[in-house]
Amino acid sequence: MDATIAALLTQDGLTNGSIYCLLALALVLVFAVTRVIFVPQGEFVVFSALTLAAFEQNKLPGTVWLLIALAAVAAFADVLSLWREPKRMLRSMAGTSLPAALAALLVWGVASAQMSFAIQVLATIAAVTAMGPAVYRLAFQPIASATVLTLLIVSVAVHFVLTGLGLLFFGAEGVRTTAFTSESFTIGSVSISGQSLLVYAFTIFLVIAMGLFFKFTLFGKALRATAANRTGARLVGISPNFAGSLSITLSAAIGAVSGLLIGPIATIYYDSGFLIGLKGFVGAIVGGLASYPVAAAGAIFVGLVESFSSFWASAYKEVIVFTLIIPVLLWRSFTTTHSEEE
Amino acid sequence: MSEALLEVSDLHVAYGQVEAVRRVSLSVPTGKIATVIGPNGAGKTTLLGAIMGLLPSHGTIRFAGERVEGYDTEALVRLGMTLVPEKRELFHEMTVLENLELGGFSRRRSGESRAALLNTLDEVFALFPRLKERQPQLAGTLSGGERQMLAVGRALMAKPKLLLLDEPSLGLAPLITRDILATIAKLRDTGLSVLLIEQNARAALKTADYGYVLETGELSLQGNADELLHDERVIATYLGKR
């Protein structure tokens, strides 16, 4: 391997690592607030890429039907559980079914009017983000106080359901979206693609934005408070459902952006989400599902390992990446003290 | 007795088969301090948890005239009821100021301005000057007494009508306990109603206007605080000779 190849692999690794980094941060966020190991994180990435691809091919994205289905089932669940309290029922619907239905309308409008690329991108982010509250409402709100194991099992189930819905609404074909830019720059003998730079820039921007959100906004502090002390949070009036829904919605938004970033780099199928999410998960595990900076660094490391192992032993790429988790778990089991589940 | 702000009647709380609280009826008049005293394990904390919507219960709970049994804790906070729990339940990794800001969370969500919250913050700092000095410090690094001040301050940030206090003296030096109870009496004089749960019966009855004695989940005695202070049974069981 010479320096040029090493530089290329590094660039590749950093690009993928940046995306895993975003996913790792989303996983840490959702786990800290809800104790859910959010397996379906990758599905948001996939739905985002598939939605934008459908826009580009002038087709109506399957997202419309997916959103309508989520909105309808969430509304039905609200009617079933809250029909005695119409006010609360309407409030719950306004937070879950309504955004999903509006997003479906938006996607339909943007697709049928064949609007510009920028608007398609924004509609994609809105559509995938709007899935967050409905997924929380349907899958996790009813069992919010269950054990971590139960939450994990449901999380796996949600992953399978969403993958199945992905196949139903988007079909089995793989897609690649157009790159945001085809520019490339040369430094010495190494060329750096504009898309990679864009990925880095977006990642840095999102990481900083998340940091500011948690540090300075009321809702950001409310999420930190819920993660730190659930009872304390309830006592100041932060509803665990509000915090849970907000955290999964944020993670859906992060998934949507990640999907837009990864779409031009890799071919995305309806079931690609699991592997992408799992690599974010390895990063999150490095941070013990608790530390944002360590999770971010871990995820970027995962990207680099993946890229270099695809050069040296491409057949074993995934094996090498996922084997990373074993030394990390060993190290963590020796260095962290066991804490009892609440 | 003036009009009751909180009225609990025939409240039952069970953990599975075990009834920890039975047939409890009590009331807190507007602008007064009512206290529930009793030995360890009598069900005092359970009683407060049930009133605050943290534990399921049977019976009726009226707050400011509204039936609130079955309400979420968050909804009760919005209505003007806050609890300072025995374990404080502070956000240890956050600063004193952030803890206080979050105390006003439900007010901010229901549209109150930042300025209104800053006013309340000033009031809390006037009450507990120590918290003002400690603003940037993480809550987890505070001393026991300061933590209790922060827990009370955080609850006050919600501008409650009724403050529920669970064992504010727990683990604190007698002097600090006295300060905190004096502060609570001061708050009562500004119109706040308080339901105070205490093991330290003498201190509680000296601060309160009205008292209840809870034993093995049932109320065994009630009366004006002064009367209870001189009640032979209370003296024999909870106060001892002086």
Side-chain angles (χ1 to χ4, degrees):
Chain A
M1 183 191 306
D2 59 17
T4 316
I5 295 177
L8 271 176
L9 290 175
T10 307
Q11 188 193 147
D12 228 36
L14 284 179
T15 310
N16 286 332
S18 300
I19 291 163
Y20 302 151
C21 162
L22 292 178
L23 299 178
L25 295 179
L27 285 166
V28 172
L29 166 66
V30 172
F31 183 75
V33 174
T34 64
R35 299 170 307 131
V36 174
I37 295 171
F38 199 54
V39 185
Q41 177 66 46
E43 268 63 59
F44 292 135
V45 178
V46 164
F47 291 158
S48 160
L50 291 173
T51 304
L52 187 64
F55 275 134
E56 287 180 347
Q57 296 159 8
N58 290 327
K59 287 197 284 194
L60 181 65
T63 331
V64 171
W65 311 116
L66 188 57
L67 282 165
I68 290 175
L70 284 173
V73 182
F76 182 65
D78 279 336
V79 171
L80 268 191
S81 61
L82 293 170
W83 60 276
R84 269 180 246 253
E85 300 162 81
K87 245 177 152 178
R88 273 182 70 191
M89 183 175 81
L90 289 178
R91 218 176 25 233
S92 175
M93 284 179 179
T96 47
S97 310
L98 186 66
L102 288 178
L105 203 66
L106 175 73
V107 171
W108 178 77
V110 170
S112 44
Q114 301 196 356
M115 292 188 186
S116 68
F117 182 65
I119 296 197
Q120 290 174 350
V121 165
L122 292 178
T124 302
I125 296 176
V128 175
T129 307
M131 290 177 193
V135 168
Y136 178 78
R137 168 66 190 87
L138 288 171
F140 300 109
Q141 184 173 317
I143 52 159
S145 50
T147 60
V148 170
L149 180 63
T150 311
L151 292 170
L152 173 63
I153 292 168
V154 171
S155 184
V156 171
V158 172
H159 153 69
F160 281 118
V161 169
L162 287 180
T163 311
L165 290 175
L167 177 61
L168 179 66
F169 292 124
F170 293 99
E173 254 171 88
V175 298
R176 221 171 236 257
T177 52
T178 23
F180 286 76
T181 166
S182 51
E183 297 274 333
S184 75
F185 309 89
T186 332
I187 300 175
S189 59
V190 186
S191 93
I192 300 174
S193 78
Q195 179 70 20
S196 290
L197 288 179
L198 212 63
V199 170
Y200 307 152
F202 250 115
T203 305
I204 292 168
F205 167 75
L206 267 183
V207 168
I208 293 174
M210 270 175 84
L212 294 176
F213 171 74
F214 285 125
K215 186 99 185 90
F216 294 110
T217 69
L218 185 68
F219 284 177
K221 285 176 193 167
L223 286 183
R224 272 165 65 209
T226 310
N229 186 330
R230 229 168 293 273
T231 310
R234 294 189 66 186
L235 290 175
V236 298
I238 303 167
S239 135
N241 288 336
F242 165 76
S245 185
L246 179 60
S247 70
I248 288 193
T249 305
L250 278 177
S251 93
I254 292 172
V257 173
S258 309
L260 297 176
L261 295 177
I262 207 172
I265 302 170
T267 308
I268 300 289
Y269 299 87
Y270 72 96
D271 62 351
S272 305
F274 185 63
L275 270 187
I276 301 172
L278 205 55
K279 284 170 193 159
F281 178 71
V282 175
I285 284 291
V286 175
L289 279 173
S291 159
Y292 292 95
V294 183
I300 288 172
F301 182 62
V302 168
L304 287 171
V305 169
E306 183 187 35
S307 146
F308 278 89
S309 53
S310 67
F311 177 77
W312 278 312
S314 75
Y316 297 103
K317 182 179 89 170
E318 314 286 15
V319 178
I320 294 171
V321 167
F322 293 123
T323 309
L324 262 185
I325 214 168
I326 293 173
V328 168
L329 288 177
L330 259 179
W331 163 66
R332 291 209 75 90
S333 73
F334 288 130
T335 54
T336 43
T337 46
H338 179 74
S339 63
E340 288 294 324
E341 193 180 305
E342 275 177 53
Chain B
M1 205 190 272
S2 54
E3 200 185 322
L5 179 64
L6 176 78
E7 218 172 344
V8 174
S9 44
D10 199 24
L11 193 78
H12 293 251
V13 189
Y15 294 106
Q17 297 288 331
V18 185
E19 273 213 312
V21 167
R22 289 182 304 276
R23 294 191 293 276
V24 167
S25 299
L26 57 81
S27 66
V28 182
T30 308
K32 302 279 178 202
I33 301 176
T35 183
V36 178
I37 58 172
N40 239 341
K44 302 187 300 289
T45 297
T46 305
L47 175 65
L48 274 196
I51 294 174
M52 198 62 214
L54 291 167
L55 297 169
S57 62
H58 290 285
T60 41
I61 305 172
R62 262 175 218 282
F63 178 67
E66 188 175 342
R67 297 243 335 224
V68 297
E69 65 267 16
Y71 275 33
D72 292 338
T73 307
E74 305 85 55
L76 294 171
V77 174
R78 242 187 339 264
L79 287 176
M81 197 193 285
T82 51
L83 167 68
V84 179
E86 191 182 342
K87 294 180 188 159
R88 278 57 140 173
E89 308 286 5
L90 296 171
F91 309 122
H92 290 234
E93 302 293 313
M94 300 173 89
T95 65
V96 168
L97 185 63
E98 285 175 324
N99 271 274
L100 291 172
E101 276 179 318
L102 282 166
F105 179 83
S106 65
R107 286 173 66 198
R108 281 301 300 281
R109 274 220 81 190
S110 39
E112 276 192 57
S113 68
R114 257 189 103 80
L117 247 77
L118 287 176
N119 273 338
T120 317
L121 190 65
D122 284 339
E123 288 167 27
V124 170
F125 284 153
L127 220 47
F128 302 111
R130 188 77 70 85
L131 293 182
K132 191 170 187 176
E133 293 162 26
R134 298 272 190 260
Q135 279 185 69
Q137 206 171 313
L138 293 183
T141 64
L142 297 179
S143 72
E146 289 166 345
R147 284 182 199 197
Q148 188 57 269
M149 289 175 202
L150 180 55
V152 175
R154 187 180 72 177
L156 291 176
M157 286 298 294
K159 265 220 154 160
K161 298 185 187 111
L162 173 69
L163 186 65
L164 308 176
L165 282 166
D166 195 356
E167 304 267 0
S169 73
L170 197 76
L172 299 184
L175 271 180
I176 298 174
T177 303
R178 210 185 58 193
D179 276 359
I180 287 197
L181 290 177
T183 308
I184 290 160
K186 221 193 282 178
L187 286 168
R188 179 242 341 253
D189 300 338
T190 66
L192 184 73
S193 314
V194 179
L195 179 57
L196 169 69
I197 298 274
E198 255 303 340
Q199 257 192 76
N200 184 342
R202 187 184 305 277
L205 289 172
K206 277 187 172 163
T207 315
D209 301 293
Y210 202 81
Y212 296 88
V213 180
L214 188 71
E215 284 171 327
T216 59
E218 290 181 74
L219 290 179
S220 57
L221 271 176
Q222 57 176 292
N224 288 328
D226 312 340
E227 289 166 23
L228 287 181
L229 263 176
H230 298 104
D231 186 287
E232 276 173 27
R233 286 163 296 178
V234 174
I235 293 172
T237 323
Y238 300 106
L239 303 177
K241 291 214 175 94
R242 272 206 101 162

